[in-house]
PDB file of all heavy atoms in Angstrom:
ATOM      1  N   ASN A1035      -8.412   4.436   0.731  1.00 86.00           N
ATOM      2  CA  ASN A1035      -7.194   4.939   1.367  1.00 86.00           C
ATOM      3  C   ASN A1035      -6.375   3.832   2.017  1.00 86.00           C
ATOM      4  O   ASN A1035      -5.312   4.089   2.574  1.00 86.00           O
ATOM      5  CB  ASN A1035      -7.544   5.998   2.417  1.00 86.00           C
ATOM      6  CG  ASN A1035      -8.039   7.277   1.779  1.00 86.00           C
ATOM      7  OD1 ASN A1035      -7.773   7.534   0.614  1.00 86.00           O
ATOM      8  ND2 ASN A1035      -8.779   8.069   2.523  1.00 86.00           N
ATOM      9  N   TRP A1036      -6.883   2.606   1.996  1.00 90.00           N
ATOM     10  CA  TRP A1036      -6.200   1.443   2.561  1.00 90.00           C
ATOM     11  C   TRP A1036      -5.659   0.566   1.456  1.00 90.00           C
ATOM     12  O   TRP A1036      -6.250   0.453   0.383  1.00 90.00           O
ATOM     13  CB  TRP A1036      -7.176   0.596   3.373  1.00 90.00           C
ATOM     14  CG  TRP A1036      -7.484   1.052   4.754  1.00 90.00           C
ATOM     15  CD1 TRP A1036      -8.468   1.917   5.124  1.00 90.00           C
ATOM     16  CD2 TRP A1036      -6.846   0.631   5.967  1.00 90.00           C
ATOM     17  NE1 TRP A1036      -8.477   2.067   6.478  1.00 90.00           N
ATOM     18  CE2 TRP A1036      -7.495   1.285   7.022  1.00 90.00           C
ATOM     19  CE3 TRP A1036      -5.793  -0.235   6.242  1.00 90.00           C
ATOM     20  CZ2 TRP A1036      -7.126   1.108   8.350  1.00 90.00           C
ATOM     21  CZ3 TRP A1036      -5.418  -0.421   7.561  1.00 90.00           C
ATOM     22  CH2 TRP A1036      -6.076   0.244   8.598  1.00 90.00           C
ATOM     23  N   ILE A1037      -4.551  -0.101   1.741  1.00 93.00           N
ATOM     24  CA  ILE A1037      -4.058  -1.178   0.877  1.00 93.00           C
ATOM     25  C   ILE A1037      -3.378  -2.185   1.795  1.00 93.00           C
ATOM     26  O   ILE A1037      -2.685  -1.806   2.739  1.00 93.00           O
ATOM     27  CB  ILE A1037      -3.090  -0.648  -0.211  1.00 93.00           C
ATOM     28  CG1 ILE A1037      -2.744  -1.751  -1.196  1.00 93.00           C
ATOM     29  CG2 ILE A1037      -1.862  -0.031   0.394  1.00 93.00           C
ATOM     30  CD1 ILE A1037      -3.889  -2.199  -2.065  1.00 93.00           C
ATOM     31  N   ALA A1038      -3.595  -3.481   1.537  1.00 95.00           N
ATOM     32  CA  ALA A1038      -3.047  -4.516   2.410  1.00 95.00           C
ATOM     33  C   ALA A1038      -2.492  -5.663   1.587  1.00 95.00           C
ATOM     34  O   ALA A1038      -2.790  -5.806   0.395  1.00 95.00           O
ATOM     35  CB  ALA A1038      -4.123  -5.036   3.366  1.00 95.00           C
ATOM     36  N   ASP A1039      -1.683  -6.501   2.230  1.00 95.00           N
ATOM     37  CA  ASP A1039      -1.138  -7.676   1.559  1.00 95.00           C
ATOM     38  C   ASP A1039      -2.233  -8.736   1.395  1.00 95.00           C
ATOM     39  O   ASP A1039      -3.366  -8.554   1.850  1.00 95.00           O
ATOM     40  CB  ASP A1039       0.050  -8.238   2.343  1.00 95.00           C
ATOM     41  CG  ASP A1039      -0.382  -8.928   3.628  1.00 95.00           C
ATOM     42  OD1 ASP A1039      -1.334  -8.436   4.267  1.00 95.00           O
ATOM     43  OD2 ASP A1039       0.213  -9.950   3.992  1.00 95.00           O
ATOM     44  N   ARG A1040      -1.896  -9.824   0.765  1.00 94.00           N
ATOM     45  CA  ARG A1040      -2.884 -10.849   0.428  1.00 94.00           C
ATOM     46  C   ARG A1040      -3.565 -11.439   1.661  1.00 94.00           C
ATOM     47  O   ARG A1040      -4.762 -11.758   1.632  1.00 94.00           O
ATOM     48  CB  ARG A1040      -2.202 -11.978  -0.359  1.00 94.00           C
ATOM     49  CG  ARG A1040      -3.138 -13.036  -0.905  1.00 94.00           C
ATOM     50  CD  ARG A1040      -2.380 -14.039  -1.745  1.00 94.00           C
ATOM     51  NE  ARG A1040      -1.462 -14.838  -0.925  1.00 94.00           N
ATOM     52  CZ  ARG A1040      -0.576 -15.677  -1.426  1.00 94.00           C
ATOM     53  NH1 ARG A1040      -0.433 -15.791  -2.736  1.00 94.00           N
ATOM     54  NH2 ARG A1040       0.203 -16.395  -0.623  1.00 94.00           N
ATOM     55  N   ALA A1041      -2.825 -11.554   2.748  1.00 94.00           N
ATOM     56  CA  ALA A1041      -3.364 -12.179   3.951  1.00 94.00           C
ATOM     57  C   ALA A1041      -3.918 -11.171   4.957  1.00 94.00           C
ATOM     58  O   ALA A1041      -4.419 -11.567   6.009  1.00 94.00           O
ATOM     59  CB  ALA A1041      -2.278 -13.027   4.623  1.00 94.00           C
ATOM     60  N   GLY A1042      -3.834  -9.870   4.657  1.00 94.00           N
ATOM     61  CA  GLY A1042      -4.317  -8.854   5.584  1.00 94.00           C
ATOM     62  C   GLY A1042      -3.447  -8.716   6.819  1.00 94.00           C
ATOM     63  O   GLY A1042      -3.914  -8.253   7.867  1.00 94.00           O
ATOM     64  N   MET A1043      -2.165  -9.095   6.721  1.00 96.00           N
ATOM     65  CA  MET A1043      -1.250  -9.001   7.867  1.00 96.00           C
ATOM     66  C   MET A1043      -0.486  -7.691   7.895  1.00 96.00           C
ATOM     67  O   MET A1043      -0.028  -7.261   8.954  1.00 96.00           O
ATOM     68  CB  MET A1043      -0.257 -10.169   7.844  1.00 96.00           C
ATOM     69  CG  MET A1043      -0.891 -11.539   7.950  1.00 96.00           C
ATOM     70  SD  MET A1043       0.339 -12.858   8.219  1.00 96.00           S
ATOM     71  CE  MET A1043       1.361 -12.677   6.745  1.00 96.00           C
ATOM     72  N   ALA A1044      -0.290  -7.061   6.746  1.00 97.00           N
ATOM     73  CA  ALA A1044       0.436  -5.793   6.654  1.00 97.00           C
ATOM     74  C   ALA A1044      -0.394  -4.828   5.828  1.00 97.00           C
ATOM     75  O   ALA A1044      -0.983  -5.224   4.810  1.00 97.00           O
ATOM     76  CB  ALA A1044       1.811  -5.997   6.021  1.00 97.00           C
ATOM     77  N   ALA A1045      -0.456  -3.570   6.253  1.00 96.00           N
ATOM     78  CA  ALA A1045      -1.317  -2.607   5.570  1.00 96.00           C
ATOM     79  C   ALA A1045      -0.685  -1.224   5.574  1.00 96.00           C
ATOM     80  O   ALA A1045       0.204  -0.920   6.375  1.00 96.00           O
ATOM     81  CB  ALA A1045      -2.696  -2.557   6.240  1.00 96.00           C
ATOM     82  N   ILE A1046      -1.165  -0.385   4.664  1.00 96.00           N
ATOM     83  CA  ILE A1046      -0.749   1.013   4.573  1.00 96.00           C
ATOM     84  C   ILE A1046      -2.007   1.860   4.474  1.00 96.00           C
ATOM     85  O   ILE A1046      -2.931   1.533   3.714  1.00 96.00           O
ATOM     86  CB  ILE A1046       0.151   1.255   3.348  1.00 96.00           C
ATOM     87  CG1 ILE A1046       1.471   0.482   3.501  1.00 96.00           C
ATOM     88  CG2 ILE A1046       0.433   2.748   3.160  1.00 96.00           C
ATOM     89  CD1 ILE A1046       2.334   0.504   2.261  1.00 96.00           C
ATOM     90  N   LEU A1047      -2.060   2.924   5.240  1.00 93.00           N
ATOM     91  CA  LEU A1047      -3.189   3.843   5.253  1.00 93.00           C
ATOM     92  C   LEU A1047      -2.697   5.248   4.957  1.00 93.00           C
ATOM     93  O   LEU A1047      -1.763   5.728   5.604  1.00 93.00           O
ATOM     94  CB  LEU A1047      -3.878   3.811   6.622  1.00 93.00           C
ATOM     95  CG  LEU A1047      -4.899   4.906   6.930  1.00 93.00           C
ATOM     96  CD1 LEU A1047      -6.128   4.757   6.035  1.00 93.00           C
ATOM     97  CD2 LEU A1047      -5.293   4.873   8.403  1.00 93.00           C
ATOM     98  N   VAL A1048      -3.282   5.910   3.974  1.00 92.00           N
ATOM     99  CA  VAL A1048      -2.988   7.324   3.725  1.00 92.00           C
ATOM    100  C   VAL A1048      -4.109   8.132   4.360  1.00 92.00           C
ATOM    101  O   VAL A1048      -5.280   7.785   4.253  1.00 92.00           O
ATOM    102  CB  VAL A1048      -2.848   7.635   2.218  1.00 92.00           C
ATOM    103  CG1 VAL A1048      -1.614   6.987   1.655  1.00 92.00           C
ATOM    104  CG2 VAL A1048      -4.069   7.181   1.434  1.00 92.00           C
ATOM    105  N   THR A1049      -3.737   9.220   5.019  1.00 84.00           N
ATOM    106  CA  THR A1049      -4.708   9.924   5.846  1.00 84.00           C
ATOM    107  C   THR A1049      -5.019  11.344   5.412  1.00 84.00           C
ATOM    108  O   THR A1049      -6.014  11.897   5.856  1.00 84.00           O
ATOM    109  CB  THR A1049      -4.206   9.978   7.296  1.00 84.00           C
ATOM    110  OG1 THR A1049      -2.991  10.748   7.337  1.00 84.00           O
ATOM    111  CG2 THR A1049      -3.942   8.590   7.842  1.00 84.00           C
ATOM    112  N   SER A1050      -4.172  11.953   4.597  1.00 71.00           N
ATOM    113  CA  SER A1050      -4.450  13.371   4.339  1.00 71.00           C
ATOM    114  C   SER A1050      -3.974  13.822   2.983  1.00 71.00           C
ATOM    115  O   SER A1050      -4.594  13.536   1.962  1.00 71.00           O
ATOM    116  CB  SER A1050      -3.821  14.232   5.442  1.00 71.00           C
ATOM    117  OG  SER A1050      -2.415  14.045   5.452  1.00 71.00           O
ATOM    118  N   ARG A1051      -2.818  14.478   2.946  1.00 79.00           N
ATOM    119  CA  ARG A1051      -2.422  15.221   1.744  1.00 79.00           C
ATOM    120  C   ARG A1051      -2.077  14.351   0.554  1.00 79.00           C
ATOM    121  O   ARG A1051      -2.320  14.742  -0.586  1.00 79.00           O
ATOM    122  CB  ARG A1051      -1.203  16.097   2.071  1.00 79.00           C
ATOM    123  CG  ARG A1051      -1.455  17.190   3.062  1.00 79.00           C
ATOM    124  CD  ARG A1051      -0.171  17.956   3.337  1.00 79.00           C
ATOM    125  NE  ARG A1051       0.810  17.126   4.040  1.00 79.00           N
ATOM    126  CZ  ARG A1051       2.069  17.497   4.255  1.00 79.00           C
ATOM    127  NH1 ARG A1051       2.494  18.657   3.795  1.00 79.00           N
ATOM    128  NH2 ARG A1051       2.896  16.721   4.919  1.00 79.00           N
ATOM    129  N   TYR A1052      -1.495  13.191   0.793  1.00 87.00           N
ATOM    130  CA  TYR A1052      -0.905  12.430  -0.309  1.00 87.00           C
ATOM    131  C   TYR A1052      -1.688  11.148  -0.576  1.00 87.00           C
ATOM    132  O   TYR A1052      -1.763  10.272   0.291  1.00 87.00           O
ATOM    133  CB  TYR A1052       0.552  12.086   0.013  1.00 87.00           C
ATOM    134  CG  TYR A1052       1.377  13.292   0.369  1.00 87.00           C
ATOM    135  CD1 TYR A1052       1.853  13.482   1.655  1.00 87.00           C
ATOM    136  CD2 TYR A1052       1.662  14.265  -0.589  1.00 87.00           C
ATOM    137  CE1 TYR A1052       2.608  14.595   1.991  1.00 87.00           C
ATOM    138  CE2 TYR A1052       2.412  15.381  -0.272  1.00 87.00           C
ATOM    139  CZ  TYR A1052       2.879  15.541   1.018  1.00 87.00           C
ATOM    140  OH  TYR A1052       3.616  16.649   1.350  1.00 87.00           O
ATOM    141  N   PRO A1053      -2.266  11.000  -1.752  1.00 88.00           N
ATOM    142  CA  PRO A1053      -3.004   9.785  -2.088  1.00 88.00           C
ATOM    143  C   PRO A1053      -2.060   8.674  -2.512  1.00 88.00           C
ATOM    144  O   PRO A1053      -0.862   8.884  -2.701  1.00 88.00           O
ATOM    145  CB  PRO A1053      -3.875  10.230  -3.278  1.00 88.00           C
ATOM    146  CG  PRO A1053      -3.048  11.286  -3.952  1.00 88.00           C
ATOM    147  CD  PRO A1053      -2.331  12.005  -2.839  1.00 88.00           C
ATOM    148  N   ILE A1054      -2.602   7.483  -2.634  1.00 90.00           N
ATOM    149  CA  ILE A1054      -1.839   6.353  -3.164  1.00 90.00           C
ATOM    150  C   ILE A1054      -1.708   6.546  -4.668  1.00 90.00           C
ATOM    151  O   ILE A1054      -2.693   6.536  -5.400  1.00 90.00           O
ATOM    152  CB  ILE A1054      -2.530   5.021  -2.839  1.00 90.00           C
ATOM    153  CG1 ILE A1054      -2.542   4.794  -1.318  1.00 90.00           C
ATOM    154  CG2 ILE A1054      -1.842   3.863  -3.552  1.00 90.00           C
ATOM    155  CD1 ILE A1054      -3.314   3.565  -0.887  1.00 90.00           C
ATOM    156  N   GLN A1055      -0.492   6.735  -5.134  1.00 90.00           N
ATOM    157  CA  GLN A1055      -0.255   6.942  -6.561  1.00 90.00           C
ATOM    158  C   GLN A1055      -0.259   5.634  -7.345  1.00 90.00           C
ATOM    159  O   GLN A1055      -0.694   5.593  -8.486  1.00 90.00           O
ATOM    160  CB  GLN A1055       1.092   7.655  -6.771  1.00 90.00           C
ATOM    161  CG  GLN A1055       1.150   9.065  -6.225  1.00 90.00           C
ATOM    162  CD  GLN A1055       2.555   9.637  -6.321  1.00 90.00           C
ATOM    163  OE1 GLN A1055       3.465   9.180  -5.637  1.00 90.00           O
ATOM    164  NE2 GLN A1055       2.743  10.622  -7.176  1.00 90.00           N
ATOM    165  N   GLU A1056       0.269   4.595  -6.713  1.00 91.00           N
ATOM    166  CA  GLU A1056       0.403   3.322  -7.420  1.00 91.00           C
ATOM    167  C   GLU A1056       0.466   2.189  -6.401  1.00 91.00           C
ATOM    168  O   GLU A1056       1.148   2.299  -5.387  1.00 91.00           O
ATOM    169  CB  GLU A1056       1.687   3.331  -8.263  1.00 91.00           C
ATOM    170  CG  GLU A1056       2.015   2.011  -8.936  1.00 91.00           C
ATOM    171  CD  GLU A1056       3.399   1.998  -9.550  1.00 91.00           C
ATOM    172  OE1 GLU A1056       4.043   3.074  -9.614  1.00 91.00           O
ATOM    173  OE2 GLU A1056       3.854   0.906  -9.945  1.00 91.00           O
ATOM    174  N   VAL A1057      -0.271   1.113  -6.665  1.00 93.00           N
ATOM    175  CA  VAL A1057      -0.140  -0.102  -5.873  1.00 93.00           C
ATOM    176  C   VAL A1057       0.909  -0.962  -6.564  1.00 93.00           C
ATOM    177  O   VAL A1057       0.657  -1.557  -7.602  1.00 93.00           O
ATOM    178  CB  VAL A1057      -1.470  -0.859  -5.751  1.00 93.00           C
ATOM    179  CG1 VAL A1057      -1.273  -2.153  -4.958  1.00 93.00           C
ATOM    180  CG2 VAL A1057      -2.524   0.013  -5.091  1.00 93.00           C
ATOM    181  N   VAL A1058       2.110  -1.001  -5.998  1.00 94.00           N
ATOM    182  CA  VAL A1058       3.207  -1.747  -6.625  1.00 94.00           C
ATOM    183  C   VAL A1058       2.950  -3.237  -6.542  1.00 94.00           C
ATOM    184  O   VAL A1058       3.023  -3.962  -7.532  1.00 94.00           O
ATOM    185  CB  VAL A1058       4.550  -1.388  -5.969  1.00 94.00           C
ATOM    186  CG1 VAL A1058       5.683  -2.208  -6.576  1.00 94.00           C
ATOM    187  CG2 VAL A1058       4.823   0.105  -6.123  1.00 94.00           C
ATOM    188  N   THR A1059       2.632  -3.723  -5.333  1.00 94.00           N
ATOM    189  CA  THR A1059       2.258  -5.129  -5.170  1.00 94.00           C
ATOM    190  C   THR A1059       1.519  -5.332  -3.863  1.00 94.00           C
ATOM    191  O   THR A1059       1.861  -4.741  -2.844  1.00 94.00           O
ATOM    192  CB  THR A1059       3.486  -6.053  -5.209  1.00 94.00           C
ATOM    193  OG1 THR A1059       3.061  -7.412  -5.102  1.00 94.00           O
ATOM    194  CG2 THR A1059       4.441  -5.769  -4.062  1.00 94.00           C
ATOM    195  N   ASN A1060       0.480  -6.163  -3.907  1.00 93.00           N
ATOM    196  CA  ASN A1060      -0.220  -6.612  -2.704  1.00 93.00           C
ATOM    197  C   ASN A1060      -0.595  -8.089  -2.839  1.00 93.00           C
ATOM    198  O   ASN A1060      -1.537  -8.560  -2.226  1.00 93.00           O
ATOM    199  CB  ASN A1060      -1.477  -5.768  -2.454  1.00 93.00           C
ATOM    200  CG  ASN A1060      -2.479  -5.854  -3.594  1.00 93.00           C
ATOM    201  OD1 ASN A1060      -2.160  -6.335  -4.687  1.00 93.00           O
ATOM    202  ND2 ASN A1060      -3.696  -5.402  -3.360  1.00 93.00           N
ATOM    203  N   ARG A1061       0.163  -8.819  -3.666  1.00 94.00           N
ATOM    204  CA  ARG A1061      -0.181 -10.210  -3.954  1.00 94.00           C
ATOM    205  C   ARG A1061       0.605 -11.208  -3.108  1.00 94.00           C
ATOM    206  O   ARG A1061       0.378 -12.410  -3.220  1.00 94.00           O
ATOM    207  CB  ARG A1061       0.055 -10.505  -5.438  1.00 94.00           C
ATOM    208  CG  ARG A1061       1.488 -10.310  -5.932  1.00 94.00           C
ATOM    209  CD  ARG A1061       1.556 -10.331  -7.451  1.00 94.00           C
ATOM    210  NE  ARG A1061       2.897 -10.111  -7.973  1.00 94.00           N
ATOM    211  CZ  ARG A1061       3.749 -11.093  -8.268  1.00 94.00           C
ATOM    212  NH1 ARG A1061       3.376 -12.349  -8.087  1.00 94.00           N
ATOM    213  NH2 ARG A1061       4.948 -10.832  -8.745  1.00 94.00           N
ATOM    214  N   TYR A1062       1.514 -10.732  -2.274  1.00 96.00           N
ATOM    215  CA  TYR A1062       2.292 -11.634  -1.430  1.00 96.00           C
ATOM    216  C   TYR A1062       1.752 -11.611  -0.006  1.00 96.00           C
ATOM    217  O   TYR A1062       0.977 -10.733   0.373  1.00 96.00           O
ATOM    218  CB  TYR A1062       3.764 -11.226  -1.410  1.00 96.00           C
ATOM    219  CG  TYR A1062       4.443 -11.288  -2.757  1.00 96.00           C
ATOM    220  CD1 TYR A1062       4.709 -10.120  -3.473  1.00 96.00           C
ATOM    221  CD2 TYR A1062       4.828 -12.504  -3.312  1.00 96.00           C
ATOM    222  CE1 TYR A1062       5.348 -10.168  -4.709  1.00 96.00           C
ATOM    223  CE2 TYR A1062       5.462 -12.565  -4.549  1.00 96.00           C
ATOM    224  CZ  TYR A1062       5.718 -11.397  -5.235  1.00 96.00           C
ATOM    225  OH  TYR A1062       6.341 -11.445  -6.456  1.00 96.00           O
ATOM    226  N   GLU A1063       2.194 -12.566   0.795  1.00 96.00           N
ATOM    227  CA  GLU A1063       1.895 -12.572   2.228  1.00 96.00           C
ATOM    228  C   GLU A1063       3.067 -11.941   2.981  1.00 96.00           C
ATOM    229  O   GLU A1063       4.211 -12.275   2.738  1.00 96.00           O
ATOM    230  CB  GLU A1063       1.668 -13.998   2.742  1.00 96.00           C
ATOM    231  CG  GLU A1063       0.356 -14.610   2.306  1.00 96.00           C
ATOM    232  CD  GLU A1063       0.074 -15.910   3.039  1.00 96.00           C
ATOM    233  OE1 GLU A1063       0.799 -16.210   4.012  1.00 96.00           O
ATOM    234  OE2 GLU A1063      -0.845 -16.629   2.631  1.00 96.00           O
ATOM    235  N   GLY A1064       2.744 -11.025   3.877  1.00 96.00           N
ATOM    236  CA  GLY A1064       3.779 -10.460   4.738  1.00 96.00           C
ATOM    237  C   GLY A1064       4.222  -9.064   4.379  1.00 96.00           C
ATOM    238  O   GLY A1064       4.843  -8.398   5.207  1.00 96.00           O
ATOM    239  N   PHE A1065       3.924  -8.575   3.193  1.00 97.00           N
ATOM    240  CA  PHE A1065       4.299  -7.195   2.862  1.00 97.00           C
ATOM    241  C   PHE A1065       3.448  -6.663   1.729  1.00 97.00           C
ATOM    242  O   PHE A1065       2.899  -7.412   0.918  1.00 97.00           O
ATOM    243  CB  PHE A1065       5.786  -7.096   2.493  1.00 97.00           C
ATOM    244  CG  PHE A1065       6.144  -7.687   1.151  1.00 97.00           C
ATOM    245  CD1 PHE A1065       6.203  -6.895   0.012  1.00 97.00           C
ATOM    246  CD2 PHE A1065       6.436  -9.032   1.020  1.00 97.00           C
ATOM    247  CE1 PHE A1065       6.539  -7.423  -1.224  1.00 97.00           C
ATOM    248  CE2 PHE A1065       6.779  -9.585  -0.210  1.00 97.00           C
ATOM    249  CZ  PHE A1065       6.830  -8.774  -1.332  1.00 97.00           C
ATOM    250  N   VAL A1066       3.340  -5.332   1.716  1.00 97.00           N
ATOM    251  CA  VAL A1066       2.620  -4.621   0.667  1.00 97.00           C
ATOM    252  C   VAL A1066       3.429  -3.377   0.328  1.00 97.00           C
ATOM    253  O   VAL A1066       4.050  -2.777   1.204  1.00 97.00           O
ATOM    254  CB  VAL A1066       1.193  -4.255   1.126  1.00 97.00           C
ATOM    255  CG1 VAL A1066       1.216  -3.386   2.386  1.00 97.00           C
ATOM    256  CG2 VAL A1066       0.423  -3.533   0.017  1.00 97.00           C
ATOM    257  N   VAL A1067       3.451  -3.012  -0.959  1.00 97.00           N
ATOM    258  CA  VAL A1067       4.246  -1.867  -1.411  1.00 97.00           C
ATOM    259  C   VAL A1067       3.366  -0.928  -2.218  1.00 97.00           C
ATOM    260  O   VAL A1067       2.652  -1.360  -3.135  1.00 97.00           O
ATOM    261  CB  VAL A1067       5.445  -2.311  -2.278  1.00 97.00           C
ATOM    262  CG1 VAL A1067       6.287  -1.097  -2.672  1.00 97.00           C
ATOM    263  CG2 VAL A1067       6.298  -3.337  -1.551  1.00 97.00           C
ATOM    264  N   THR A1068       3.408   0.349  -1.888  1.00 96.00           N
ATOM    265  CA  THR A1068       2.689   1.369  -2.643  1.00 96.00           C
ATOM    266  C   THR A1068       3.632   2.538  -2.908  1.00 96.00           C
ATOM    267  O   THR A1068       4.663   2.687  -2.264  1.00 96.00           O
ATOM    268  CB  THR A1068       1.469   1.903  -1.872  1.00 96.00           C
ATOM    269  OG1 THR A1068       1.923   2.575  -0.691  1.00 96.00           O
ATOM    270  CG2 THR A1068       0.514   0.793  -1.501  1.00 96.00           C
ATOM    271  N   LYS A1069       3.221   3.375  -3.852  1.00 95.00           N
ATOM    272  CA  LYS A1069       3.961   4.597  -4.140  1.00 95.00           C
ATOM    273  C   LYS A1069       3.128   5.783  -3.666  1.00 95.00           C
ATOM    274  O   LYS A1069       1.983   5.953  -4.078  1.00 95.00           O
ATOM    275  CB  LYS A1069       4.244   4.713  -5.638  1.00 95.00           C
ATOM    276  CG  LYS A1069       5.090   5.920  -6.022  1.00 95.00           C
ATOM    277  CD  LYS A1069       5.326   5.946  -7.527  1.00 95.00           C
ATOM    278  CE  LYS A1069       6.151   7.156  -7.955  1.00 95.00           C
ATOM    279  NZ  LYS A1069       6.319   7.210  -9.428  1.00 95.00           N
ATOM    280  N   ILE A1070       3.704   6.599  -2.779  1.00 93.00           N
ATOM    281  CA  ILE A1070       3.014   7.746  -2.199  1.00 93.00           C
ATOM    282  C   ILE A1070       3.942   8.943  -2.239  1.00 93.00           C
ATOM    283  O   ILE A1070       5.051   8.883  -1.686  1.00 93.00           O
ATOM    284  CB  ILE A1070       2.586   7.458  -0.739  1.00 93.00           C
ATOM    285  CG1 ILE A1070       1.712   6.201  -0.659  1.00 93.00           C
ATOM    286  CG2 ILE A1070       1.851   8.657  -0.144  1.00 93.00           C
ATOM    287  CD1 ILE A1070       1.488   5.710   0.748  1.00 93.00           C
ATOM    288  N   ASN A1071       3.520  10.015  -2.896  1.00 91.00           N
ATOM    289  CA  ASN A1071       4.320  11.239  -2.970  1.00 91.00           C
ATOM    290  C   ASN A1071       5.726  10.955  -3.502  1.00 91.00           C
ATOM    291  O   ASN A1071       6.712  11.510  -3.030  1.00 91.00           O
ATOM    292  CB  ASN A1071       4.386  11.898  -1.594  1.00 91.00           C
ATOM    293  CG  ASN A1071       5.051  13.263  -1.639  1.00 91.00           C
ATOM    294  OD1 ASN A1071       4.935  13.996  -2.628  1.00 91.00           O
ATOM    295  ND2 ASN A1071       5.754  13.614  -0.586  1.00 91.00           N
ATOM    296  N   GLY A1072       5.816  10.048  -4.464  1.00 91.00           N
ATOM    297  CA  GLY A1072       7.095   9.738  -5.071  1.00 91.00           C
ATOM    298  C   GLY A1072       7.965   8.784  -4.276  1.00 91.00           C
ATOM    299  O   GLY A1072       9.086   8.478  -4.683  1.00 91.00           O
TER     300      GLY A1072
END
C-alpha cells in the first residue's frame, strides 16, 4: 500500500477503498507519481 521515490523522501499511502492502480514513476528523487481511482 506504500510507494516512495528513489530516496525515500516522498511517499504515497493508500489506506482503504482505492488501491494503487499504476506506479507511474518512483525513479526520481523528490517526487513519486501513482494512479489511484483514475
Side-chain angles (χ1 to χ4, degrees):
N1035 290 339
W1036 280 89
I1037 187 68
D1039 72 323
R1040 186 176 67 188
M1043 298 190 300
I1046 295 172
L1047 168 67
V1048 292
T1049 64
S1050 61
R1051 295 178 293 171
Y1052 306 112
I1054 295 175
Q1055 295 173 292
E1056 174 190 351
V1057 178
V1058 177
T1059 182
N1060 61 346
R1061 60 192 178 93
Y1062 298 104
E1063 287 190 11
F1065 72 94
V1066 58
V1067 183
T1068 65
K1069 184 180 179 183
I1070 304 169
N1071 187 33

